[in-house]
Amino acid sequence: MTSLKDNFNGIQEYASDQGLDLGWIDRQGEWGVKATADGAKGLTLNDTQIGSYGDPPEESDNMTGKPRGAAARPNAYRIGGYQVRTKSDIWLTNASMLYEEALQRQWSSATDIPWQAIKPLPDDIERAQCQLATFLTEVEFVAADIPGRWVASTTPDYFEPRMFLITQIMDESRHLDVFRKRALANGGGLMQRPDINVTTSGVVGSIDLSRDFTEMSSRLHISGEGAVLTIFRMGELMAYNDAEKRIYRLAAQDESRHVAFGVMHMRYLAETEPDRKEEIHEYLDEGERSLVSGSQNPAARDSAQSESLSILLGGGQKNFDEGYRKLLAIRKRQAKEYVQRIRSAGFGERFENGRANPELMEYVRS
């Protein structure tokens, strides 16, 4: 059997005879590494993390778009203005797994939602559904827009989190799509844009001004999407048909991946760069102020989204007070799930040393 070395020598000899320059053939990364599919899952991204190909550098000077593990090409153009070139700034241990899960659990808002299950609703219920759908349409637009700005800012040496962020953009785009369709599917339509002082200045503004990826992730994945995930998980309480129930179930499975990404990134940073923990606590201080002040709080009584939620949870405008009590219960659950996430991420000391927001902790203890 002819060896790779014999083949290579033969190619070189042929190239020399023909006057060809095939020097690139001998300029590769680690050679002879074979990725093997893992049973029913097929050949996953994690299966290719072998040899030197599975070892991202702690610092990257790759500004050319060179795939990790490939040989550098002399005089290659600098095609990327990559800001994220330090592993701890974006890394997490399970990015490949989350990426594969995202691929396997994609769904279609056109064909996977039983739209025919939506029947005419009382006017106040339909208007509330459309207002909530309008709110979530904008929220999900932001959740897709912000990560997209960091994909192109990250060196290809850290392609795993980059690829996950691309799936998040697709997920959030589908959420935008499905909630917009719900607003238009039952004779209603888009309603009032969410309160600018509540949604835009509190969530969009702070996320958009983030100076590095970790700051952005703490605001988007932990505080923002964490709060939305609780709403999705409680979606059946405000759903009036199988179509709405399925929307919330599918959106929740996507959103849980995005939150897990943020939690695992914070955990990695806490373990590898403990000197940055105070910095992260500062981000969490800010996020908690937003959670209790209204900027990410759907229980703010005078907001269009909280009023629409109260109508849906109560079963109509006439039961608004009962619906609002249920909304406060969801708010308490948001606070408790937030605490669980922060503990899992490795920053639970803020709840023991009194640093956590006092108003937030009242929700947790109640």
Side-chain angles (χ1 to χ4, degrees), residues 319-334:
N319 301 319
F320 183 91
D321 288 343
E322 174 61 23
Y324 186 69
R325 282 192 289 272
K326 291 181 180 179
L327 179 56
L328 288 178
I330 292 177
R331 175 67 180 127
K332 292 175 183 178
R333 179 166 175 172
Q334 282 179 319

Side-chain angles (χ1 to χ4, degrees), residues 97-362:
M97 182 192 72
L98 291 173
Y99 169 76
E100 294 291 345
E101 180 184 319
L103 293 186
Q104 295 163 12
R105 304 189 76 174
Q106 293 293 304
W107 52 277
S108 168
S109 66
T111 59
D112 290 329
I113 305 300
W115 294 108
Q116 70 279 3
I118 299 180
K119 307 299 181 184
L121 293 169
D123 189 65
D124 58 340
I125 299 292
E126 182 61 33
R127 289 178 182 271
Q129 289 284 15
C130 291
Q131 179 59 48
L132 179 59
T134 303
F135 167 66
L136 292 173
T137 296
E138 179 168 349
V139 166
E140 300 300 69
F141 177 87
V142 173
D145 185 45
I146 299 293
R149 303 178 190 181
W150 290 93
V151 171
S153 298
T154 301
T155 172
D157 284 337
Y158 308 139
F159 68 86
E160 294 94 334
R162 272 181 54 144
M163 290 169 69
F164 175 81
L165 291 175
I166 292 171
T167 69
Q168 179 180 346
I169 294 167
M170 185 62 208
D171 290 344
E172 307 291 16
S173 298
R174 187 171 55 249
H175 297 176
L176 179 161
D177 167 38
V178 79
F179 287 114
R180 183 180 180 88
K181 285 176 178 175
R182 173 57 191 90
L184 298 168
N186 202 26
L190 295 172
M191 300 287 286
Q192 175 181 299
R193 180 179 183 269
D195 301 353
I196 188 168
N197 64 313
V198 172
T199 302
T200 305
S201 62
V203 180
V204 182
S206 64
I207 298 173
D208 208 21
L209 294 174
S210 299
R211 291 151 293 187
D212 67 14
F213 182 86
T214 299
E215 182 177 5
M216 181 280 295
S217 182
S218 71
R219 291 169 172 167
L220 176 66
H221 297 120
I222 302 296
S223 299
E225 294 202 88
V228 172
L229 174 59
T230 304
I231 294 176
F232 287 168
R233 284 175 172 169
M234 305 296 287
E236 294 201 23
L237 296 178
M238 49 199 172
Y240 284 75
N241 49 66
D242 288 340
E244 290 163 2
K245 290 178 181 178
R246 186 151 180 79
I247 288 171
Y248 286 118
R249 289 173 192 159
L250 292 173
Q253 78 176 22
D254 294 340
E255 210 78 354
S256 65
R257 283 194 302 274
H258 310 158
V259 173
F261 178 95
V263 169
M264 293 302 294
H265 170 56
M266 285 181 60
R267 182 185 298 176
Y268 182 85
L269 193 70
E271 293 171 350
T272 59
E273 293 201 29
D275 56 322
R276 290 189 63 185
K277 292 193 75 172
E278 176 58 28
E279 170 195 339
I280 307 305
H281 279 300
E282 292 283 348
Y283 302 151
L284 297 175
D285 291 344
E286 179 188 23
E288 289 174 10
R289 286 193 294 270
S290 296
L291 283 168
V292 300
S293 68
S295 64
Q296 295 178 38
N297 180 4
R301 193 177 180 96
D302 59 350
S303 68
Q305 55 269 24
S306 70
E307 292 175 355
S308 62
L309 279 166
S310 298
I311 290 171
L312 293 173
L313 291 166
Q317 190 170 345
K318 65 182 182 300
N319 301 319
F320 183 91
D321 288 343
E322 174 61 23
Y324 186 69
R325 282 192 289 272
K326 291 181 180 179
L327 179 56
L328 288 178
I330 292 177
R331 175 67 180 127
K332 292 175 183 178
R333 179 166 175 172
Q334 282 179 319
K336 292 179 179 180
E337 291 183 350
Y338 167 81
V339 170
Q340 291 173 352
R341 284 191 292 271
I342 299 304
R343 290 188 188 280
S344 177
F347 292 83
E349 64 268 16
R350 66 186 292 107
F351 306 116
E352 277 73 49
N353 62 19
R355 179 160 188 167
N357 186 282
E359 189 176 347
L360 178 73
M361 298 312 294
E362 286 183 17

